[in-house]
């Protein structure tokens, strides 16, 4: 903003001779378990999803919703490539004026979150954003506001997508990718290193996720993730995937307090190492039991495949929304999880580059 008195002050300064500018893991009662996680049984991602009411969005473009009058029951929770349901307000995440660059642990800001007032006219440049051309084996009518109203789409993958043609998938709308890296303290996804390398070669912003195992000590899991996931300054923040896995040999159900304690240990270690605040991925039932109101300063990635996030997680703002587990696209065989980022293209470029 400019004021008319400034020229007068400046001239006055010249006449007068010039102006001068002037937790910890030890507190947990869980001993390291000898149980491994590599024996987890894979499950084919369910394809059913249902109708929903959508939230209002001041900046959403008027895009017709997909025809799908019927609603389907929410599938059972899954490890990112399974199913679930739930969702928070579709408003931008709270952010105070953040410092330049990726948030550092010492500052503990509301890091890697959306600006308070995302604006399509904001100036921020970055890699080309491709419009999504994804299809869905089980399309859902989310109501007035659909995933198509969000300009930045992406995917999440694991070994079950096998070999992926990443350059082709990018042109179909995969502007970002979250890649399965590890689970527990002993399992590495066999496709992680290949996907990690090829996504970067294709010019896709990517991040790694860890499936948290409740029968292993949190610090052990953090060490295993750090051992296998490179410290790449261009990567998206690491993700902790927390949900129930009914197929796991680990049948232990911890209290919400203990769950949050273990999560905090894991996330603090990763934040210190990577210099980026981790993203929390979760599904409706786990969120309702353990995370409602928790971790207000962490970005959330929420699964909501039957309703809009605002209907499933009414008390939670979100940064990423996983809206389908039955996506179809050129460049990948079979089904793939589909996601959107909350914000404009300019918001995405700022956030993903650590500028906002």
């Amino acid at each position: 903003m400019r004021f008319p008195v400034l020229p007068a002050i400046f001239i006055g300064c010249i006449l007068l001779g010039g102006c001068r500018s002037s937790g910890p893991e030890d507190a947990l009662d869980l001993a390291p378990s000898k149980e491994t996680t590599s024996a987890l049984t894979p499950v084919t991602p369910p394809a059913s999803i249902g109708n929903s009411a959508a939230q209002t969005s001041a900046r959403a473009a008027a895009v017709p919703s997909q025809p799908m009058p019927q609603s389907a029951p929410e599938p059972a929770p899954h490890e990112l490539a399974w199913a679930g349901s739930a969702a928070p307000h579709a408003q931008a995440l709270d952010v105070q004026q953040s410092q330049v660059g990726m948030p550092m642990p010492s500052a503990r800001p509301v890091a890697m979150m959306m600006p308070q007032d995302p604006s399509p006219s904001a100036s921020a440049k970055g890699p080309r954003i491709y419009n999504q051309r994804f299809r869905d084996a089980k399309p859902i009518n989310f109501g007035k506001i659909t995933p198509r109203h969000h300009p930045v789409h992406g995917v999440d993958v694991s070994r079950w997508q096998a070999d992926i043609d990443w350059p082709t998938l990018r042109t179909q709308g995969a502007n970002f990718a979250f890649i399965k890296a590890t689970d527990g303290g002993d399992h590495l996804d066999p496709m992680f290193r290949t996907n990690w390398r090829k996504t970067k070669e294709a010019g896709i912003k990517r991040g790694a996720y860890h499936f948290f195992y409740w029968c292993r000590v949190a610090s052990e899991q953090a060490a295993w993730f750090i051992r296998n996931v490179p410290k790449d300054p261009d990567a998206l923040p690491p993700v902790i995937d927390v949900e129930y896995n009914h197929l796991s040999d680990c049948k232990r159900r911890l209290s919400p307090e203990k769950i949050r304690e273990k999560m905090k240990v894991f996330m603090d270690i990763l934040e210190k190492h990577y210099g980026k605040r981790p993203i929390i991925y979760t599904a409706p039932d786990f969120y309702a039991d353990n995370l409602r109101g928790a971790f207000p300063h962490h970005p959330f990635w929420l699964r909501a495949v039957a309703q809009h996030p605002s209907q499933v997680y009414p008390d939670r703002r979100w940064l990423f929304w996983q809206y389908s587990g039955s996506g179809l696209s050129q460049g990948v065989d079979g089904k793939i999880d589909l996601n959107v980022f909350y914000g404009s293209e300019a918001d995405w470029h700022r956030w993903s580059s650590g500028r906002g």
Side-chain angles (χ1 to χ4, degrees), residues 199-273:
T199 45
K200 187 161 188 174
E201 291 173 353
I204 298 174
K205 277 286 187 179
R206 83 284 200 241
Y209 75 84
H210 173 85
F211 189 74
F212 201 85
Y213 194 59
W214 301 106
C215 290
R216 293 293 290 257
V217 172
S219 58
E220 292 179 353
Q221 298 189 60
W224 178 246
F225 183 89
I226 290 171
R227 175 179 171 183
N228 288 285
V229 178
K231 188 177 181 179
D232 183 348
D234 293 328
L236 299 176
V239 176
I240 176 175
D241 177 356
V242 288
E243 53 188 302
Y244 294 127
N245 181 359
H246 304 295
L247 299 175
S248 173
D249 292 334
C250 178
K251 304 303 182 184
R252 180 174 295 168
R253 286 293 180 95
L254 306 178
S255 68
E257 294 74 22
K258 186 64 68 175
I259 281 176
R260 292 193 291 267
E261 184 180 7
K262 289 175 72 69
M263 287 177 62
K264 186 176 187 305
V265 169
F266 180 86
M267 292 190 296
D268 284 352
I269 294 173
L270 262 59
E271 183 171 353
K272 182 177 180 181
H273 178 76

Side-chain angles (χ1 to χ4, degrees), residues 135-192:
R135 293 165 291 121
D136 203 317
K138 297 288 183 179
I140 295 304
N141 181 355
F142 286 100
K144 293 181 180 179
I145 305 300
T146 75
R148 290 180 180 272
H149 287 93
H150 299 276
V152 184
H153 288 241
V155 299
D156 62 84
V157 301
S158 67
R159 64 182 298 181
W160 308 117
Q161 278 71 48
D163 290 323
I164 297 172
D165 181 347
W166 284 107
T168 297
L169 189 58
R170 183 189 179 198
T171 65
Q172 301 304 298
N175 297 292
F176 62 85
F178 286 109
I179 303 168
K180 169 68 177 295
T182 54
D183 55 83
D186 62 355
H187 181 71
L188 173 68
D189 188 283
M191 288 299 294
F192 171 69

Side-chain angles (χ1 to χ4, degrees), residues 50-67 87-92 132 140-151 153 304-312 318 321 323 340-343:
N51 289 346
S52 73
Q55 71 188 65
T56 55
S57 173
R59 56 184 181 74
V63 179
S65 57
Q66 302 175 7
H89 287 302
Q91 37 183 315
Q132 71 89 13
I140 295 304
N141 181 355
F142 286 100
K144 293 181 180 179
I145 305 300
T146 75
R148 290 180 180 272
H149 287 93
H150 299 276
H153 288 241
V305 297
Q307 293 178 300
H308 191 277
S310 61
Q311 304 300 312
V312 189
W318 53 273
W321 166 24
Y323 65 88
V340 293
F341 168 79
Y342 187 91

Side-chain angles (χ1 to χ4, degrees), residues 83-139:
S85 73
H89 287 302
Q91 37 183 315
L93 294 170
D94 285 333
V95 169
Q96 295 106 15
Q97 279 306 93
S98 59
Q99 301 175 0
V100 176
M102 296 285 187
M104 297 305 294
S106 58
R108 306 295 304 179
V110 182
M112 296 300 291
M113 292 189 174
M114 285 299 306
Q116 226 169 3
D117 183 20
S119 169
S121 62
S123 60
K125 295 183 179 180
R128 175 181 173 181
I129 298 298
Y130 286 87
N131 294 329
Q132 71 89 13
R133 299 179 181 179
F134 301 129
R135 293 165 291 121
D136 203 317
K138 297 288 183 179

Side-chain angles (χ1 to χ4, degrees), residues 3 30-31 78 85 88 122 139 143 183 189 255 270 274 299 309 317 335-336:
F3 299 92
L30 298 177
H78 74 309
S85 73
D183 55 83
D189 188 283
S255 68
L270 262 59
Y274 293 101
R317 296 175 179 182
K335 297 172 183 175
I336 190 170

